[in-house]
Amino acid sequence: MTRSVFRFLSRQPDPVRIESDTHLLRLPRGSDYRQWFALRRESRPFLEPWEPTWRAEEMTESAFRARAIRSEQEFHSGQALPLFVFARETDTLLGGLTIGYIRRGAAQCCMIGYWMGERFAGQGHMSAAVRLSIPYIFSTLQLHRIEAACIPENERSIRLLEKAGFHREGYLREYLKINGQWRDHLIFSLLSRDIAPNRTASE
């Protein structure tokens, strides 16, 4: 990609803004690199047990900018929404939440995944982000089912999903390669009918 393309993309209005009084979810921008790099680097030991292995070259600014462009393309093609989570008042990057594997047709389903910087973990930020994403998925995207998978030992993630109303459905053997090893996962789901009509994202 040329610099002119980067400048063009940086001038475009945000195609997705999912927000509350305290949090904002939006697609990554090239200008987010410094915050993202600092947060990922300082949180590496905290995140490594729960994520696929990251190669060193994936942390470079050029790789990040390419990933930001790919995020826009995935959104416009209807494949996925890789979102960053910010504290709205300070515009501080807290983590990320991806609405991925969007399937239309008979399925009308997606998979969510998320990560949180270590110094922001345990403060309710990701719980707020997941709750913000749910009405967007069911109302704006008009999907029927949200899935999420997590390693059985990840008790924090399990509590988050259960608190958001997800139901545990089963056990997936060697589902994803995490930190260099094939790991079993628990599968959770939330259906559009599981959400009361008058429930808000802040509840």
Side-chain angles (χ1 to χ4, degrees):
M1 288 290 182
T2 64
R3 290 185 178 181
S4 61
V5 173
F6 289 132
R7 288 197 298 269
F8 172 78
L9 286 174
S10 68
R11 291 197 299 267
Q12 303 310 298
D14 289 327
V16 180
R17 285 182 67 89
I18 308 172
E19 55 192 322
S20 67
D21 292 339
T22 55
H23 294 85
L24 167 66
L25 279 63
R26 64 161 173 81
L27 291 170
R29 306 170 186 161
S31 57
D32 295 324
Y33 173 71
R34 288 189 178 183
Q35 275 207 83
W36 173 86
F37 178 82
L39 188 59
R40 293 290 306 187
R41 181 177 58 181
E42 72 182 47
S43 303
R44 182 172 180 175
F46 175 72
L47 294 171
E48 273 186 338
W50 319 113
E51 294 189 342
T53 303
W54 279 57
R55 299 187 301 273
E57 58 267 26
E58 294 181 274
M59 296 291 289
T60 65
E61 185 170 4
S62 60
F64 178 85
R65 287 183 173 272
R67 192 158 49 248
I69 291 173
R70 190 164 60 249
S71 295
E72 290 252 10
Q73 294 170 340
E74 289 175 346
F75 164 69
H76 288 296
S77 68
Q79 295 176 319
L81 281 84
L83 302 169
F84 276 177
V85 179
F86 292 88
R88 187 172 177 184
E89 185 176 349
T90 60
D91 202 33
T92 301
L93 177 64
L94 307 172
L97 184 149
T98 296
I99 304 169
Y101 299 103
I102 297 174
R103 304 186 291 280
R104 294 293 181 176
Q108 296 297 319
C109 181
C110 71
M111 174 77 73
I112 63 167
Y114 40 80
W115 64 273
M116 178 61 57
E118 182 174 14
R119 58 190 159 108
F120 303 117
Q123 301 173 32
H125 295 301
M126 189 51 67
S127 180
V130 169
R131 288 177 180 274
L132 271 175
S133 72
I134 289 170
Y136 183 87
I137 292 169
F138 288 144
S139 298
T140 303
L141 297 182
Q142 296 186 335
L143 296 176
H144 169 67
R145 173 183 168 94
I146 307 171
E147 297 176 351
C150 67
I151 294 172
E153 293 80 14
N154 193 344
E155 295 179 0
R156 178 175 285 172
S157 185
I158 292 171
R159 288 196 302 269
L160 184 155
L161 292 170
E162 291 178 341
K163 186 177 178 181
F166 281 73
H167 297 262
R168 189 183 304 196
E169 289 193 338
Y171 196 89
L172 306 175
R173 296 187 305 148
E174 298 189 5
Y175 180 60
L176 295 173
K177 196 171 189 179
I178 301 296
N179 198 23
Q181 295 183 337
W182 289 104
R183 298 297 304 274
D184 298 344
H185 282 66
L186 298 172
I187 182 72
F188 292 80
S189 75
L190 185 71
L191 306 181
S192 57
R193 64 178 173 84
D194 294 331
I195 304 299
N198 61 348
R199 180 176 175 180
T200 66
S202 61
E203 290 179 327

